[in-house]
Amino acid sequence: MAPQVFTFDIGKDISLTVTPQDTEIVSDVGKTTGLMMDEYSPLLIKAFAEVLGNPLTSCITKSQYDAAMRKLLPEVSSWSDMRKEHLSYFLSNLFYSFDSEERETVPTDELLVALSILCGGSKTSKLAFAFALFDSSGDEQIEQAELARLLSAILVGLFAVCTDGCADVTEEEVEMSVHHCSVRMALDIFTDLGKDDEESLSFHEFGWWYNEFGFEKIQWLELLDLSKWPKNSTIEDDDDDEEEEEGKE
């Protein structure tokens, strides 16, 4: 049986493709950093707060990001150079995916939302975490522009961690497609809920919209739940065969 491959249409001629290799890499990084052990990771917020202060600053530099990531990592002196290099590349690539203007500084809330992809927990808990980060007014509501940024942060993060599945897509194509998709979906959500552009959206309202319409319109949100990522069916079949053989002995 062939390995699973998931493909999500994002825009004209642009798709997000997720392969079993992407799943293995994301799982490895999540376990290595300890993020996969927590639901929307208190570890993640703690590491950022120790570097940025509490409340968190609106932007984070690459050096501050590196410092926060080092707080999540165990003693690495025993690691091979190759493993260190692979992890460094993965984490740096995630940061620079938000730094299209090459300023070495990115929005903290967007980067945290992307990093939450690596965390344990359900799709609902991660979306609630994201809503809280983007609730700039503190009234448990977000505006249409904030919703577009939130959706964009998730998509940018997914494209960054799924490097095996979108290797043929240029950075410019991804950036443009993600922007258009996020703005369009934010507008559609407000329209479906009968809201004016100037109104705000609660997490409860977003949840209702997703259950009614969104699960068909933005299926890639399901990837916030790591248990729903594609599996290598070939490997699983081999494991099942081995267990059957052992049972016969």
Side-chain angles (χ1 to χ4, degrees), residues 80-189:
S80 68
D81 291 340
M82 181 175 292
R83 188 182 184 195
K84 293 177 186 176
E85 183 178 340
H86 285 171
L87 182 61
S88 176
Y89 175 81
F90 180 96
L91 294 175
S92 292
N93 182 62
L94 190 60
F95 178 92
Y96 286 121
S97 293
F98 290 91
D99 188 24
S100 60
E101 297 183 359
E102 300 181 357
R103 295 181 176 180
E104 295 287 314
T105 301
V106 303
T108 305
D109 52 6
E110 294 181 18
L111 186 58
L112 280 169
V113 167
L115 282 166
S116 73
I117 295 170
L118 307 175
C119 297
S122 66
K123 173 193 75 216
T124 300
S125 66
K126 292 182 183 182
L127 284 170
F129 171 65
F131 258 72
L133 285 172
F134 279 77
D135 177 17
S136 59
S137 60
D139 61 356
E140 299 184 354
Q141 306 262 338
I142 63 175
E143 299 176 354
Q144 187 178 128
E146 292 172 324
L147 177 60
R149 277 207 314 123
L150 186 157
L151 295 174
S152 176
I154 296 173
L155 266 180
V156 171
L158 288 171
F159 270 103
V161 302
C162 294
T163 53
D164 182 66
C166 56
D168 296 330
V169 181
T170 66
E171 293 180 5
E172 291 75 15
E173 289 173 324
V174 171
E175 183 178 355
M176 183 69 70
S177 184
V178 165
H179 173 73
H180 287 165
C181 177
S182 302
V183 171
R184 183 180 70 252
M185 289 313 308
L187 178 60
D188 284 354
I189 291 169

Side-chain angles (χ1 to χ4, degrees), residues 194-246:
K195 287 182 173 291
D196 295 331
D197 292 346
E198 296 76 19
E199 293 186 82
S200 299
L201 175 77
S202 70
F203 180 64
H204 175 75
E205 289 173 320
F206 177 82
W208 182 88
W209 174 85
Y210 187 81
N211 290 331
E212 291 293 321
F213 311 105
F215 67 95
E216 294 181 339
K217 291 187 175 184
I218 46 177
Q219 296 178 353
W220 42 266
L221 273 186
E222 292 297 316
L223 293 173
L224 289 175
D225 184 344
L226 294 178
S227 69
K228 297 182 179 180
W229 282 51
K231 305 295 191 300
N232 192 329
S233 300
T234 302
I235 294 176
E236 290 182 350
D237 291 343
D238 290 342
D239 291 340
D240 292 340
D241 292 340
E242 290 178 4
E243 290 178 3
E244 290 178 5
E245 289 298 325
E246 290 175 357

